[in-house]
Amino acid sequence: MTRPTPETLAHSVRRARNAAETTGDADHARAAATPALAVRPAQVSGAGSLVRSLEALGVDVVFGIPGGAILPAYDPLYDSTVRHILVRHEQGAGHAATGYAQATGRVGVCIATSGPGATNLVTPIADAYMDSVPLVAITGQVARPAIGTDAFQEADIQGITLPITKHNFLVQNASEIPRVLAEAFHLASTGRPGPVLVDIPKDVLQAPTTFAWPPTLDLPGYRPTMHPHGKQIREAARLMTNARRPVLYVGGGVLKAGATEGLRRLAELTGIPVVTTLMALGAFPDSHQQHLGMPGMHGTVAAVYGLQKADLIVALGARFDDRVTGKLDSFAPDATVVHADIDPAEIGKNRHADVPIVGDARHVIDELLAAVTAERAAGRVADLADWWTQLDDLRERYPLGYEEPSDGTLSPQYVIKRLGEIAGPDAIYVAGVGQHQMWASQFISYEKPQTWLNSGGLGTMGYAVPAAMGAKVGKPDTVVWAIDGDGCFQMTNQELATCALEGIPVKIAVINNGNLGMVRQWQTLFYGERYSNTDLGTHKHRIPDFVKLAEALGCVGLRCENAEDVDKTIEAAMSINDAPVVIDFVVGKDAMVWPMVAAGTSNDEIMFARGVRPVFDEDDI
């Protein structure tokens, strides 16, 4: 029998998943990770079984670094159709796999050896866990007889990652490898997506075994609820047609479920204003008239006010994160809450849900559409004219904007705004963490899903460069820009060497303000301008010189220091498609992110600028 190609097997994986999503049938769902085409049993090593399992699952690329315990897997990988990208640090492998998954919707895969190799994956695993990213991390482990003896490069990575994985495995027998891999991919990609760790001892990788495909999955009790209960849907629809000040509070779960088209139809049918969290940018077009913007600590005044003064919040795939709610006991005090999420543990975790709905966001939205249509057919239509008058007034009075630096330095907001306008809505934008992340969320218009990638929940500095690399591998025909800060960039920029050698032409915009910018902003506002350990030296001493560093890493290096050169510098980078490009944008150090809700305070205390609080009409307060 001819062994099916990975492309054929990948097609059967997608076909099975589509069947599962369409029917909601548990048997179809179980089959989602196991292609219908069988592979004849063959005698291989455990390592050979691992690589063949990856091929059968349709994996096209893995990111990793070899080492002693995982080394047996690298021998069959040498002959495999699976592309291996040799990164410079295991953290880069994890973030690259995350960027690949976020850009493509497929499971990202990273590989590391035991001990420090595995522990270097902890940060990207935690990052993927917080942001619900489908990730499978494969780690080598010391041989079974040595486990627990403090052997060379031994670490209990299964125990270490237990709180930050959806599930993890320690493989005890080579015969288990196909089943464990199939289960890992199924768990990572179904229900609420998340990271799964597979730890394999070296002697298991070396042991002889029989490889056959597909395996039988054994996941008792794992049955994610896809379809919501009809009674809750009808009650939610009733509330939506009776509310006077409703808001659709949209989280990253809507993107994960592929529910963006349904969301747009629901919003336009009901006329309800929409806010999209940091993890949901692109789920609803920024340019849409009903979009109020991003809520939370650095959200728009209209979005923050809209949630705070709502009488109904319909939360879709969102988790009432502290960065959105501010001081929790003062958040949206008059709002009835409809909370829909595929993870029942999220409902009621932070805010009581008056109407709890467990289900996949796509099915929830589709069924809400039907229920709201029925309400409207019965003559029940919400009157939102006064609500929109208030919100439109706030949008007009408090638009997002910025002041040009008084010292003549380059404005970081201007750089990012022009970058978004020149690269356009079809590009993928990947941000690090800090001020540049917030400016990228504010001043680039996101019109399409999967065009904005960032570390939201964990806030991981160093995420941008390797995640952009993974995104570009997954979407090679799409322009990928990483927008990074000079602090973040210095944590993982070694992966640019990987990009140069592997032919991955990402583009990096370093917003170089010479400081740990967000920390400096807090020191300005809350620590009496005592700037303790935030000056990085990239301005004063040009250490490192980012242009020279880029060239040393095999990239094209450019620098821009004034507004007149911004457009032509970006356009020069856009014209280079055969090598990675790094632009050192030297910007002022005193720019701040506004609006801002200080940590631990109420959203009612939002500041529009330093010392400036929005003024609401008396009836609005």
Side-chain angles (χ1 to χ4, degrees):
M1 177 181 174
T2 302
R3 187 158 66 93
T5 65
E7 291 79 8
T8 303
L9 290 164
H11 175 72
S12 64
V13 171
R14 290 192 292 271
R15 187 176 58 208
R17 286 181 180 152
N18 289 338
E21 291 172 352
T22 301
T23 65
D25 184 274
D27 292 334
H28 278 109
R30 286 181 181 279
T34 54
L37 298 178
V39 176
R40 178 185 297 172
Q43 294 300 310
V44 295
S45 66
S49 182
L50 168 64
V51 172
R52 287 202 178 189
S53 296
L54 292 173
E55 291 171 346
L57 286 159
V59 174
D60 57 359
V61 64
V62 297
F63 304 88
I65 300 180
I70 196 65
L71 195 57
Y74 274 76
D75 187 64
L77 196 56
Y78 185 80
D79 300 313
S80 174
T81 56
V82 177
R83 179 186 182 187
H84 179 276
I85 292 179
L86 178 62
V87 297
R88 297 312 185 255
H89 191 286
E90 290 89 356
Q91 183 178 354
H95 290 318
T98 293
Y100 173 92
Q102 289 176 310
T104 66
R106 302 180 65 194
V107 176
V109 184
C110 53
I111 300 181
T113 195
S114 62
T119 58
N120 280 342
L121 286 178
V122 169
T123 294
I125 289 172
D127 184 269
Y129 184 74
M130 290 288 279
D131 288 346
S132 303
V133 179
L135 181 77
V136 170
I138 300 167
T139 53
Q141 184 55 275
V142 299
R144 285 172 295 177
I147 291 176
T149 69
D150 292 331
F152 177 67
Q153 290 193 332
E154 181 188 359
D156 178 14
I157 195 62
Q158 187 185 27
I160 289 169
T161 60
L162 187 64
I164 55 170
T165 51
K166 189 174 177 182
H167 191 67
N168 60 30
F169 299 87
L170 175 62
V171 180
Q172 298 284 359
N173 193 296
S175 63
E176 301 174 355
I177 289 174
R179 174 184 58 79
V180 169
L181 263 291
E183 289 174 356
F185 274 68
H186 182 66
L187 289 167
S189 60
T190 59
R192 179 179 184 173
V196 178
L197 177 94
V198 179
D199 196 30
I200 312 177
K202 185 172 184 177
D203 60 321
V204 173
L205 289 170
Q206 293 171 322
T209 187
T210 300
F211 173 76
W213 195 271
T216 301
L217 275 61
D218 183 22
L219 295 169
Y222 180 71
R223 294 175 180 269
T225 301
M226 301 296 289
H227 290 274
H229 194 286
K231 181 179 179 181
Q232 279 100 325
I233 289 291
R234 290 190 295 274
E235 177 62 13
R238 185 189 68 80
L239 290 170
M240 290 168 72
T241 52
N242 288 330
R244 294 177 57 247
R245 301 187 307 279
V247 175
L248 293 176
Y249 163 34
V250 176
V254 170
L255 285 172
K256 300 290 190 302
T260 56
E261 284 301 315
L263 170 65
R264 182 167 183 160
R265 293 198 304 271
L266 181 65
E268 291 176 349
L269 176 67
T270 60
I272 295 175
V274 177
V275 301
T276 52
T277 67
L278 183 68
M279 293 307 300
L281 298 181
F284 192 77
D286 277 358
S287 61
H288 197 287
Q289 182 61 25
Q290 288 175 240
H291 192 226
L292 300 182
M294 183 177 74
M297 176 174 278
H298 294 295
T300 66
V301 171
V304 172
Y305 170 90
L307 282 178
Q308 199 67 0
K309 305 304 177 184
D311 64 359
L312 175 68
I313 293 175
V314 180
L316 301 168
R319 58 189 180 89
F320 291 89
D321 176 73
D322 62 285
R323 284 302 201 242
V324 169
T325 65
K327 187 178 179 182
L328 188 59
D329 59 11
S330 68
F331 174 70
D334 300 322
T336 299
V337 172
V338 174
H339 192 179
D341 201 286
I342 198 165
D343 185 356
E346 286 296 345
I347 296 176
K349 184 179 78 174
N350 293 327
R351 171 65 181 253
H352 170 74
D354 299 283
V355 182
I357 301 176
V358 178
D360 176 80
R362 193 172 74 177
H363 293 301
V364 169
I365 289 171
D366 286 347
E367 295 186 30
L368 280 174
L369 275 164
V372 169
T373 299
E375 288 284 318
R376 293 172 67 88
R380 292 183 284 273
V381 179
D383 181 1
L384 305 182
D386 290 345
W387 183 223
W388 272 114
T389 297
Q390 294 175 42
L391 296 174
D392 286 339
D393 175 61
L394 287 174
R395 287 200 287 198
E396 184 177 344
R397 284 194 287 146
Y398 302 103
L400 284 174
Y402 58 92
E403 294 182 357
E404 290 292 339
S406 58
D407 59 0
T409 55
L410 181 59
S411 162
Q413 300 98 322
Y414 176 74
V415 170
I416 292 170
K417 184 172 184 292
R418 289 302 298 147
L419 175 58
E421 289 168 348
I422 293 170
D426 292 323
I428 292 174
Y429 302 92
V430 187
V433 170
Q435 287 182 315
H436 63 278
Q437 175 192 28
M438 295 298 102
W439 288 322
S441 73
Q442 293 175 334
F443 294 106
I444 294 176
S445 182
Y446 299 99
E447 303 297 316
K448 300 178 181 181
Q450 296 176 312
T451 55
W452 163 251
L453 315 183
N454 80 126
S455 171
L458 198 64
T460 306
M461 292 179 68
Y463 164 91
V465 170
M469 175 173 69
K472 184 64 175 177
V473 170
K475 292 287 187 70
D477 297 327
T478 301
V479 173
V480 177
W481 275 96
I483 299 170
D484 220 357
D486 47 330
C488 290
F489 182 65
Q490 292 185 79
M491 292 191 173
T492 52
N493 61 37
Q494 68 270 19
E495 298 308 336
L496 287 173
T498 307
C499 292
L501 291 168
E502 292 280 348
I504 307 168
V506 295
K507 305 180 193 302
I508 316 294
V510 181
I511 308 302
N512 177 7
N513 64 3
N515 283 266
L516 297 171
M518 188 63 86
V519 181
R520 179 185 169 88
Q521 176 167 333
W522 282 51
Q523 288 174 336
T524 300
L525 296 174
F526 309 121
Y527 292 88
E529 300 183 9
R530 290 163 54 85
Y531 299 118
S532 174
N533 293 286
T534 47
D535 188 335
L536 291 167
T538 54
H539 269 198
K540 192 182 303 179
H541 306 291
R542 200 162 277 179
I543 300 176
D545 183 317
F546 289 136
V547 172
K548 292 179 180 177
L549 178 63
E551 292 169 350
L553 291 168
C555 306
V556 175
L558 305 171
R559 179 172 288 118
C560 179
E561 300 185 71
N562 57 74
E564 292 74 23
D565 294 336
V566 166
D567 283 19
K568 66 181 181 183
T569 307
I570 295 171
E571 287 162 357
M574 292 287 289
S575 70
I576 299 169
N577 295 304
D578 57 355
V581 183
V582 176
I583 305 177
D584 178 15
F585 285 106
V586 182
V587 302
K589 64 183 179 180
D590 292 319
M592 293 196 193
V593 182
W594 300 109
M596 180 179 182
V597 178
T601 66
S602 169
N603 283 348
D604 289 328
E605 299 175 50
I606 186 172
M607 294 181 286
F608 182 64
R610 189 173 184 181
V612 179
R613 292 270 305 278
V615 178
F616 302 125
D617 293 336
E618 192 171 310
D619 292 341
D620 297 339
I621 296 175

